[in-house]
């Protein structure tokens, strides 16, 4: 056999190993996601959270297994470029009738970069652009179901939508809830449009499971107009199902898919079909974020980076140091024309910080594994990112070489950043407060201070203590929601020891300026929060009106007790004012 023929056989075998590795990954991912229905039916709430944590690790485990197999069977480090180029072509051929080709291409990239340690998105051997189309991939069962109210009647069609999910638990009163849905539609739309001949309701085949809820996502098509909707299905105190509300605003549905919340579990054979449907009702939501919220974070990263490179090609502004107070742990920069911030861990931390680089990375990973309850920004983590050096301002270049020289490398016209976190950009809360106070907007000060306190409460109930509560570590989203985004000091609530400051033993001790009590690393004294939070009269008045108890160790200790008892609180990603129990005085008040 000639050398060329032998290389072809090796390339073909490598391609098959890669496809096998991906198929194993997606089979396990799909099985875990499909079990979400059973966990919802059985009210296995603790298992719900554990499944989300476990699923995150699936991808890296399969990449590692596949990489080891390629090393073991083919001595992958020694293979020529020609073999890898041929393996890529063979791999593409194996994806012709695949149900998840875009995910498989990303898997190929991950394994290849593990073996040859090439700069990501910077060589000829990986999928910089998709090679296989995801359009019109057929799914069994189909991605969405259709209902025709002109034939079956509007009420009957809506009722059937929920019955077709075939949940093992019975509904508390489905007819009542369908009536609430109809009344909710009427109150939110003002008037019910006349029915056109093509009137249909399209509903994604799988519910979207998260925490203690199942979300039914769909849209009504009537004439040339489409009406998106989402309906959360919850458990009543006696274990029966009920519909909690109907959400009709596309932007509110987009909030359900915010990266500040936990990922969904969805039983889907063709993810691209779900993303395409979701994009039809949320056209402003990037595909990268939708893939991420479906639990496909690696695909989300791939698509995000493609979007970033595309944006750089069609823009001319420069990366700059992000406005605001400089951090002690992270150097943060941004591209003004792109709605994200880029964060790198400094080589040397400020003297007040007692963490190391590995701890910071571990805490950022923790944020991906917990329920972020809409109050913590998710991050995309990248290694060896190549960006055009000409797009960096001189100030930023100087700052990078001063603060993170170990993470910077130059390669021709590119600047290589060896480790990087990327988050959605928000306005820092301290800058927002300065702005609204200067404008004399006491109403906005009160509103955002109340939001800030609610964010701390909700994080605490979700077993997260932010550690550093300074205003600068929180941001304000475009919807006015306060979100935490600085993670180097977060801890589990249950690992902290919340204490009251003991009274001084004598006057001399009180006046000495030194602590008269012992302090261990995990001790927290909520009374001390007042010193750095109540920085103006307006902020003090608003904070004391709504959140004075946050300065009392009792609040934190009581919250710890609830967590230890296994209590799992409800966090609704929509306003209480939309819930049927509050709108119509019926249903549940969980």
């Amino acid at each position: 056999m000639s050398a060329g023929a032998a290389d072809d056989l090796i390339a073909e075998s490598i391609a098959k190993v890669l496809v096998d590795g991906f198929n194993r990954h997606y089979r396990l991912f799909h099985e875990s996601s499909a079990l979400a229905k059973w966990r919802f039916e059985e009210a296995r709430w603790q298992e719900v959270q554990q499944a989300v944590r476990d699923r995150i690790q699936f991808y890296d485990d399969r990449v590692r297994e596949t990489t080891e197999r390629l090393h073991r069977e083919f001595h992958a480090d020694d293979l020529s470029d020609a073999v890898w180029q041929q393996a890529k072509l063979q791999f593409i051929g194996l994806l012709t009738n695949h149900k998840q080709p875009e995910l498989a291409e990303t898997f190929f990239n991950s394994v290849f970069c593990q073996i040859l340690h090439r700069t990501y998105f910077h060589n000829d051997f990986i999928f910089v652009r998709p090679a296989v189309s995801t359009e019109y991939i057929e799914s069994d069962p189909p991605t969405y179901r259709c209902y025709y109210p002109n034939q079956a009647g509007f009420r009957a069609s809506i009722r059937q939508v929920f019955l077709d999910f075939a949940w093992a638990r019975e509904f508390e009163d489905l007819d009542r809830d369908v009536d609430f849905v109809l009344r909710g539609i009427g109150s939110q739309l003002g008037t019910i449009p006349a029915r056109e001949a093509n009137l249909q309701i399209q509903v994604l085949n799988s519910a979207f499971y998260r925490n203690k809820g199942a979300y039914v996502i769909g849209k009504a098509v009537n004439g040339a107009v489409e009406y998106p909707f989402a309906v959360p299905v919850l458990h009543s105190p006696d274990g029966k199902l009920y519909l909690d509300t109907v959400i009709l605003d596309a932007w509110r549905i987009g909030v359900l898919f915010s990266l500040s919340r936990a990922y969904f579990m969805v039983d889907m054979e063709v993810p691209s079909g779900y993303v395409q449907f979701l994009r039809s009702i949320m056209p402003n939501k990037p595909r990268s974020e939708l893939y991420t919220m479906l639990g496909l974070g690696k695909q989300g990263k791939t698509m995000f980076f493609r979007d970033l490179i595309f944006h750089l090609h069609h823009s001319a502004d420069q990366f700059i140091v992000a406005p605001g107070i400089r951090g002690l742990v992270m150097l943060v920069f941004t591209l003004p024309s792109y709605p994200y911030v880029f964060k790198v861990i400094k080589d040397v931390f400020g003297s007040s910080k007692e963490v190391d680089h590995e701890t910071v990375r571990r805490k950022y990973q923790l944020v991906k594994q917990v329920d972020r309850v809409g109050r913590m920004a998710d991050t995309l983590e990248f290694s060896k990112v190549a960006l055009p050096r000409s797009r960096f301002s001189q100030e930023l270049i100087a700052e990078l070489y001063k603060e993170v020289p170990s993470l910077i490398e130059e390669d021709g016209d590119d600047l290589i950043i060896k480790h990087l976190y990327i988050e959605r950009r928000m306005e820092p809360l301290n800058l927002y407060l300065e702005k609204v106070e200067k404008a004399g907007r006491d109403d906005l000060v009160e509103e955002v201070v109340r939001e800030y306190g609610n964010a701390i409460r909700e994080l605490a109930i979700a077993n997260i203590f932010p550690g550093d509560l300074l205003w600068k570590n929180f941001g304000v989203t475009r919807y006015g929601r306060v979100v935490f985004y600085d993670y180097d000091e977060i801890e589990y609530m249950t690992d902290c020891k919340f204490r009251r400051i003991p009274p001084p033993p004598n006057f001399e001790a009180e006046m000495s300026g030194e602590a008269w009590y012992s302090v261990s690393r995990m001790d927290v004294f909520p009374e001390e929060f007042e010193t750095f939070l109540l920085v103006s009269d307006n902020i003090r008045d608003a904070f004391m009106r709504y959140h004075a108890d946050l300065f009392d160790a009792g609040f934190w200790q009581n919250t710890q007790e609830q967590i230890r008892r296994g209590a799992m609180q409800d966090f609704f990603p929509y306003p209480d004012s939309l819930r049927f129990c509050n709108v119509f005085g019926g249903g549940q008040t969980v």
Side-chain angles (χ1 to χ4, degrees):
M1 182 183 296
S2 68
D7 283 351
D8 287 347
L9 284 175
I10 292 172
E12 182 180 357
S13 298
I14 288 173
K16 289 179 180 177
V17 168
L18 286 161
V19 171
D20 288 345
F22 170 75
N23 286 345
R24 171 170 163 73
H25 158 66
Y26 198 77
R27 183 175 69 254
L28 295 172
F29 175 92
H30 185 236
E31 287 171 358
S32 176
S33 301
L35 280 172
K37 181 173 186 280
W38 174 81
R39 289 188 287 264
F40 172 73
E41 291 169 337
E42 297 295 319
R44 302 291 187 96
W45 309 134
Q46 299 299 328
E47 293 180 31
V48 166
Q49 294 185 331
Q50 186 61 48
V52 171
R53 288 191 290 269
D54 292 344
R55 191 179 64 170
I56 290 172
Q57 191 60 36
F58 286 178
Y59 187 90
D60 289 339
D61 288 346
R62 302 294 85 74
V63 168
R64 186 180 64 255
E65 288 175 3
T66 305
T67 301
E68 290 172 354
R69 183 179 172 188
L70 290 174
H71 279 302
R72 185 172 62 250
E73 296 183 12
F74 304 101
H75 303 288
D77 285 334
D78 301 326
L79 296 174
S80 67
D81 287 353
V83 170
W84 280 111
Q85 288 173 330
Q86 185 62 28
K88 179 181 176 182
L89 292 175
Q90 294 281 355
F91 186 82
I92 292 171
L94 294 174
L95 299 183
T96 302
N97 296 311
H98 206 281
K99 302 294 186 182
Q100 308 94 28
E102 77 283 25
L103 308 186
E105 291 175 355
T106 292
F107 188 83
F108 181 102
N109 289 351
S110 298
V111 173
F112 178 87
C113 291
Q114 284 290 316
I115 291 173
L116 295 191
H117 310 291
R118 301 292 181 89
T119 302
Y120 199 37
F121 287 99
H122 201 235
N123 59 73
D124 298 327
F125 305 102
I126 63 175
F127 293 93
V128 177
R129 292 178 296 276
V132 180
S133 172
T134 58
E135 295 293 318
Y136 308 116
I137 299 177
E138 293 185 0
S139 174
D140 185 20
T143 299
Y144 59 89
R145 299 189 291 265
C146 284
Y147 301 83
Y148 301 95
N150 285 340
Q151 299 172 15
F154 209 59
R155 179 181 294 275
S157 296
I158 293 176
R159 191 176 191 278
Q160 195 61 45
V161 163
F162 298 99
L163 293 176
D164 283 348
F165 284 95
W167 287 301
R169 288 179 182 255
E170 64 177 313
F171 282 90
E172 183 180 66
D173 189 341
L174 184 56
D175 289 328
R176 174 203 66 195
D177 291 348
V178 169
D179 182 59
F180 287 161
V181 169
L182 290 169
R183 292 167 63 186
I185 292 171
S187 64
Q188 292 185 53
L189 294 184
T191 58
I192 302 294
R195 299 185 190 184
E196 303 286 348
N198 70 329
L199 175 61
Q200 59 189 281
I201 301 172
Q202 299 176 359
V203 180
L204 284 167
N205 187 67
S206 171
F208 287 57
Y209 296 95
R210 182 168 65 194
N211 297 335
K212 296 160 73 174
Y215 294 83
V216 173
I217 309 289
K219 62 183 177 181
V221 179
N222 190 42
V225 183
E226 296 185 354
Y227 302 88
F229 66 84
V231 178
V233 182
L234 305 178
H235 284 220
S236 68
D238 60 357
K240 295 182 180 179
L241 303 181
Y242 69 97
L243 313 184
D244 196 45
T245 188
V246 59
I247 304 170
L248 300 179
D249 293 317
W251 73 269
R252 287 200 188 279
I253 297 173
V255 170
L256 297 180
F257 289 82
S258 165
L259 292 178
S260 64
R261 298 193 178 274
Y263 309 129
F264 286 108
M265 289 268 186
V266 186
D267 181 4
M268 51 190 176
E269 183 184 31
V270 179
S272 59
Y274 274 74
V275 170
Q276 183 176 333
F277 188 99
L278 291 170
R279 282 274 292 176
S280 75
I281 63 178
M282 294 178 284
N284 295 324
K285 182 72 71 172
R287 285 183 175 85
S288 59
E289 292 188 11
L290 293 174
Y291 272 105
T292 299
M293 289 308 298
L294 294 173
L296 299 165
K298 298 298 182 181
Q299 187 63 25
K301 284 174 57 175
T302 295
M303 302 197 79
F304 172 87
F305 203 82
R306 287 172 180 164
D307 288 344
L308 174 59
I309 297 303
F310 183 83
H311 180 82
L312 288 171
H313 185 68
H314 293 86
S315 61
D317 57 329
Q318 290 191 317
F319 290 102
I320 60 172
V321 177
I325 299 173
R326 306 289 172 90
L328 298 176
V329 171
M330 291 287 194
L331 170 61
V332 184
F333 61 95
T334 189
L335 187 67
S337 63
Y338 207 56
Y340 294 87
V341 293
F342 303 77
K343 304 169 72 170
V344 287
I345 304 174
K346 292 184 177 182
D347 284 3
V348 179
F349 300 159
S351 58
S352 63
K353 293 294 182 178
E354 299 179 358
V355 293
D356 56 24
H357 288 73
E358 186 55 39
T359 301
V360 174
R361 290 193 185 200
R362 189 169 62 250
K363 293 191 176 185
Y364 270 76
Q365 181 64 16
L366 180 153
V367 171
K368 301 189 78 65
Q369 297 172 337
V370 300
D371 182 3
R372 293 181 292 280
V373 299
R375 296 299 189 177
M376 287 194 291
D378 193 16
T379 57
L380 298 174
E381 184 179 7
F382 287 91
S383 299
K384 297 184 179 178
V385 176
L387 297 170
R389 190 187 191 282
S390 63
R391 298 298 295 273
F392 286 75
S393 70
Q394 286 305 310
E395 179 195 11
L396 177 54
I397 290 285
E399 203 65 15
L400 287 168
Y401 275 104
K402 174 186 174 185
E403 300 288 0
V404 292
S406 69
L407 296 180
I408 302 301
E409 181 180 309
E410 298 205 24
D411 181 7
D413 294 332
D414 287 334
L415 193 68
I416 311 299
I417 301 177
K418 298 177 185 177
H419 186 252
L420 179 68
Y421 293 104
I422 303 176
E423 296 173 1
R424 268 276 180 181
R425 186 168 63 225
M426 290 173 273
E427 184 172 7
L429 180 53
N430 62 308
L431 298 184
Y432 178 88
L433 280 168
E434 289 176 13
K435 179 178 69 177
V436 296
E437 281 203 296
K438 186 176 180 180
R441 292 296 304 274
D442 294 350
D443 57 328
L444 293 181
V445 171
E446 177 159 337
E447 182 180 317
V448 80
V449 168
R450 187 176 186 178
E451 257 289 291
Y452 166 83
N454 288 341
I456 293 174
R457 291 177 187 279
E458 291 168 20
L459 288 170
I461 293 169
N463 199 19
I464 293 295
F465 177 62
D468 192 342
L469 300 180
L470 290 173
W471 303 106
K472 72 181 182 68
N473 295 327
F474 293 75
V476 184
T477 72
R478 59 189 182 277
Y479 300 122
R481 190 169 179 83
V482 171
V483 174
F484 181 56
Y485 53 54
D486 193 327
Y487 305 138
D488 56 89
E489 292 191 22
I490 64 170
E491 302 286 353
Y492 287 113
M493 280 282 295
T494 46
D495 290 340
C496 299
K497 185 176 181 181
F498 294 95
R499 297 173 53 192
R500 292 183 174 88
I501 297 176
N506 52 55
F507 179 76
E508 289 75 15
E510 183 177 9
M511 300 303 294
S512 69
E514 300 291 333
W516 56 85
Y517 46 90
S518 62
V519 180
S520 65
R521 191 181 75 83
M522 298 305 292
D523 283 348
V524 180
F525 299 92
E527 295 160 74
E528 296 178 337
F529 300 164
E530 185 173 349
T531 304
F532 54 82
L533 289 183
L534 306 186
V535 294
S536 73
D537 290 340
N538 286 340
I539 290 173
R540 171 181 290 276
D541 291 346
F543 205 102
M544 297 307 290
R545 184 156 42 251
Y546 298 113
H547 302 301
D549 58 333
L550 295 181
F551 298 141
D552 182 0
F555 163 81
W556 301 92
Q557 293 165 355
N558 291 337
T559 303
Q560 286 178 313
E561 284 306 307
Q562 292 180 44
I563 296 168
R564 292 184 177 118
R565 288 199 305 268
M568 186 173 170
Q569 299 291 326
D570 295 291
F571 297 98
F572 301 110
Y574 44 86
D576 280 345
S577 59
L578 283 183
R579 300 185 64 204
F580 291 151
C581 60
N582 296 321
V583 177
F584 304 121
Q588 295 293 333
T589 57
V590 175

